[in-house]
Each structure stands twice: as C-alpha cells, then as structure tokens.
C-alpha cells in the first residue's frame, strides 16, 4: 500500500490533479457498458481455466461455481488493497471446502501464473510495435519476468505437470482470450479519453501497462498501473499526463465491470463434500449454506 501510495503521490506532485480529473470526466456510459460485456467473457475464460487447473490437482470445481467465485474475486481485487486478496480468498475457500487447503490455494496460484505467463509472452510478441525508446526497456523487463516464471515452473515441475497436463492448449487459449479482452477494454478507455494512435501501437502499450498493473502492490488496483502508463506513454512521446488519464478511465471501467460480483458475494457455494476415488478427491456439487 505504501508503494502504491508513493507512486500516486509522485504522479500527483509531478502532473497535478488534472490527468486524474480528466480521466473521470471522460468516462462515459457506452465505454462502461462495453467493459461490463467484455469482462463477462474474460471472467468466463478465467473460470474455465481455473476449473481445468483445479481438476488436474484433484480439487476440481464445476464451471458455474468457478464463474461465480471468479466474479466475487474480481470485485474484491478491485476494492481491497493489494489487488490479489480476492484470489487469495477464492483459493482459501476452495481449499477449505475441498479438504485440501494447500492444493486449493495452489490451484489459484497456477491459474493466475499461467495467465500472467501468456500475457507476458503476448507482450514480448508486441515489443516490435513499441516506439524505439521503449523497446529496450520493455524487452529487459519482460526477460526478467519470463525467467522468473521459468524458474517457478522448473521448481514445481511435477505439480505443473499435474495442473496443466494435457489441458495446456486450452489453458493457453483461454489465457490469450482473457488477455485480449483486457487489452480491448484498455483500448476502449484510450479512445474514450480521446487518444488518437494507431491500433498496433496502442495494443503494444496496453499490453505493457497491463502487465505492470499485475504487480500486487496496488491500492485496489491503483498505483502501478498509473505509474506504468505515465512512464510508457511519456517514453512514447504521448505525454505522461495522457498515460495517467487513460489509466484512470480504464480503472473506472474495470471497477464498474466487476460490480456483478456483488450479486454473488453471499451466493450459495458448491458443496464442501469431498469423496475419495481413484485419482484423489473429487469435487461434489450441491448447495450448502454460505
């Protein structure tokens, strides 16, 4: 929280309040509606991916239950410090209900991790589309991210094989679609803010900023995203203030898009009954009290 607050304080001191206020002023109902629709799709992709990964670890969860839980997690991520507490909650709750707390938590870790690796790979592919001044920095940062991901996979290669196994093509596809959805929302936010930039360059900037926004030191999603946008847009010659304004529009749109999670904050969850069968615990669905 201190790191995120420091980023926002520096931006406010250097750029003033105008970029933040302009971002709020430029947010419109059409952009918000589009964000809600796109986020419904990206959440479905994430829920399906988590369901596949959890099944590989022996703590499977039905898609419908995963979809509700992911929406609740997105809402908590967007309203609580850190940006990951919703995912921590869904991992803890699923692990507790399936009588396998460690595997429940790790199912979420592998779910999020696989998505971040795919997002990083897409960003690497988009580096040539970035302005020249950004390419070197972006390539260096992404090399570190991918190297760390490779180390994690090698250390946990047995569990990675169990979690991803024969479903890795689906996991890659679902992650790519989800990342693309977030990019679409960011590009809508940029157009809403009045930014006129070629689609390929805007796509590359969006991937770079969104990857940085995944760093879990934010205040309800705010902080690293605005800092990365100010740096990236400034280095691209578009102005740091423009980057902050676009990030604010995106932040508001993303927050509104998670509001359907309110409907499932206290929704009945899947049964915590776990039965033992060949291959380990099996998730048995059925309503229980929340």
């Amino acid at each position: 929280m201190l790191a995120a607050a420091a980023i926002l304080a520096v931006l406010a001191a250097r750029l003033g309040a105008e970029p933040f206020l302009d971002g709020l002023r430029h947010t419109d109902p059409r952009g918000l509606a589009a964000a809600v629709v796109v986020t419904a799709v990206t959440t479905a992709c994430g829920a399906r991916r988590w369901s596949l990964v959890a099944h590989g670890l022996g703590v499977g969860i039905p898609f419908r239950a995963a979809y509700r839980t992911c929406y609740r997690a997105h809402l908590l991520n967007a309203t609580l410090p850190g940006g990951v507490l919703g995912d921590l909650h869904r991992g803890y709750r699923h692990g507790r209900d399936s009588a396998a707390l460690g595997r429940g938590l790790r199912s979420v870790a592998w779910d999020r991790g696989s998505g971040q690796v795919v997002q990083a790979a897409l960003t690497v592919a988009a580096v040539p589309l970035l302005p020249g001044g950004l390419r070197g920095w972006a390539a260096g940062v992404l090399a570190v991210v991918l190297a760390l991901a490779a180390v994690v996979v090698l250390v946990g290669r047995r569990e990675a094989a169990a979690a991803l196994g024969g479903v890795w093509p689906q996991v890659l596809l679902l992650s790519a679609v989800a990342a693309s959805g977030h990019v679409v929302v960011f590009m809508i936010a940029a157009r809403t803010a009045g930014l006129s930039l070629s689609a390929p360059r805007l796509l590359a900037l969006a991937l770079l900023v969104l990857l940085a926004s995944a760093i879990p030191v934010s205040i309800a999603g705010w902080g690293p995203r605005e800092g990365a946008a100010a740096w990236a847009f400034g280095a691209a010659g578009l102005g740091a203030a423009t980057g902050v304004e676009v990030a604010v529009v995106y932040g508001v749109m993303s927050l509104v898009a998670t509001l359907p999670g309110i409907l499932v904050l206290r929704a009945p969850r899947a049964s915590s009954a776990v039965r033992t069968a060949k291959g380990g615990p099996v998730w048995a669905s059925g309503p229980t009290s929340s």
Side-chain angles (χ1 to χ4, degrees):
M1 289 183 65
L2 290 175
I7 292 172
L8 294 173
V10 169
L11 291 176
R14 295 287 299 273
L15 305 174
E18 281 305 307
F20 297 91
L21 297 176
D22 287 343
L24 294 176
R25 281 194 289 263
H26 282 130
T27 305
D28 64 38
R30 289 180 300 175
L32 295 176
V36 170
V37 172
V38 174
T39 300
V41 176
T42 61
T43 302
C45 291
R48 176 59 178 164
R49 184 182 64 202
W50 180 36
S51 181
L52 291 170
V53 170
H55 178 75
L57 294 178
V59 286
I61 179 171
F63 170 74
R64 290 181 62 184
Y67 192 53
R68 293 194 301 268
T69 303
C70 285
Y71 247 123
R72 180 170 60 238
H74 291 336
L75 176 64
L76 296 177
N77 285 344
T79 54
L80 296 176
V84 295
L85 292 181
D87 290 307
L88 180 62
H89 175 261
R90 71 175 163 113
Y92 169 78
R93 186 170 178 175
H94 178 49
R96 186 189 63 186
D97 291 349
S98 57
L101 180 59
R103 278 180 291 164
L105 287 168
R106 293 197 300 276
S107 72
V108 173
W110 283 111
D111 167 51
R112 276 188 62 109
S114 60
Q116 293 301 321
V117 167
V118 171
Q119 186 175 357
L122 291 174
T123 308
V124 168
V127 165
L129 301 175
L130 290 169
L134 269 176
R135 291 176 190 170
W137 284 98
V141 172
L142 289 168
V144 172
V145 170
L146 291 175
L148 291 174
V151 170
V152 171
V153 171
L154 288 174
V155 170
R157 57 186 178 275
R158 289 186 179 179
E159 188 165 72
L164 302 178
V167 301
W168 65 266
Q170 297 179 62
V171 170
L172 292 181
L173 177 60
L174 291 166
S175 298
V177 173
S180 299
H182 296 311
V183 169
V184 167
V185 174
F186 190 94
M187 294 178 74
I188 292 173
R191 299 306 188 203
T192 300
L195 180 64
S196 58
L197 185 68
S198 67
R201 285 205 166 185
L202 182 55
L203 180 147
L205 286 171
L207 282 167
L208 190 59
V209 172
L210 292 175
L211 188 64
S213 70
I215 300 173
V217 295
S218 66
I219 300 176
W222 299 83
R225 177 181 61 220
E226 286 69 34
W231 166 70
F233 278 66
L238 301 170
T242 301
V244 172
E245 182 181 344
V246 172
V248 169
V249 176
Y250 176 81
V252 174
M253 291 171 64
S254 298
L255 174 61
V256 171
T258 66
L259 293 182
I262 294 175
L263 302 176
V264 293
L265 275 178
R266 295 189 59 82
R269 61 192 177 191
S271 171
S272 59
V274 178
R275 58 186 175 83
T276 302
K278 285 186 177 181
V282 178
W283 186 268
S285 60
T288 65
S289 62
S290 57

